[in-house]
């Protein structure tokens, strides 16, 4: 036990510490890149939601116009029926 090579043990722990630190730095870089991608994705989703809301608004307007036209058609049909009697 007296032949412990302290320099090898210290070198072993230092090399592992360097590996852990570089791994942590690489992980932080990847997380930063992921944050950038997620913010871009969020912007795209916001645009998509806005377009869907616009489409919903247009669909509602079209349904309203169809209902108005159906009402007009019913009035015209009733008027024609009354004329023909």
């Amino acid at each position: 036990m007296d032949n412990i090579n302290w320099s090898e043990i210290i070198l072993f722990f230092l090399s592992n510490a360097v590996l852990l630190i570089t791994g942590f730095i690489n992980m932080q870089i990847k997380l930063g890149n992921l944050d950038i991608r997620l913010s871009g994705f969020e912007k795209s989703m916001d645009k998509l939601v806005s377009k869907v809301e616009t489409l919903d608004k247009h669909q509602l307007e079209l349904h309203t116009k169809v209902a108005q036209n159906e009402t007009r058609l019913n009035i015209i049909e009733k008027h024609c029926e009354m004329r023909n009697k």
Side-chain angles (χ1 to χ4, degrees):
M1 284 292 247
D2 291 336
N3 293 342
I4 297 175
N5 192 345
W6 288 105
S7 62
E8 285 184 16
I9 292 173
I10 292 171
L11 184 62
F12 172 77
F13 283 112
L14 286 177
S15 64
N16 283 333
V18 168
L19 288 174
L20 284 172
I21 291 169
T22 55
F24 180 76
I25 291 171
N26 284 334
M27 184 180 67
Q28 291 299 319
I29 290 170
K30 288 179 182 179
L31 286 174
N33 290 339
L34 183 60
D35 284 342
I36 292 170
R37 289 182 188 164
L38 283 176
S39 67
F41 178 73
E42 287 173 353
K43 288 178 186 175
S44 296
M45 288 302 295
D46 288 343
K47 288 180 184 177
L48 184 59
V49 166
S50 175
K51 288 181 180 180
V52 168
E53 288 171 349
T54 302
L55 286 173
D56 285 344
K57 180 182 169 188
H58 289 308
Q59 183 181 15
L60 181 61
E61 290 172 357
L62 287 174
H63 282 298
T64 303
K65 288 179 181 178
V66 166
Q68 290 170 345
N69 286 336
E70 287 176 345
T71 302
R72 289 180 187 140
L73 182 61
N74 286 339
I75 291 170
I76 291 170
E77 286 175 347
K78 286 181 183 179
H79 182 70
C80 288
E81 287 175 6
M82 292 172 73
R83 279 180 107 191
N84 290 335
K85 284 185 180 183

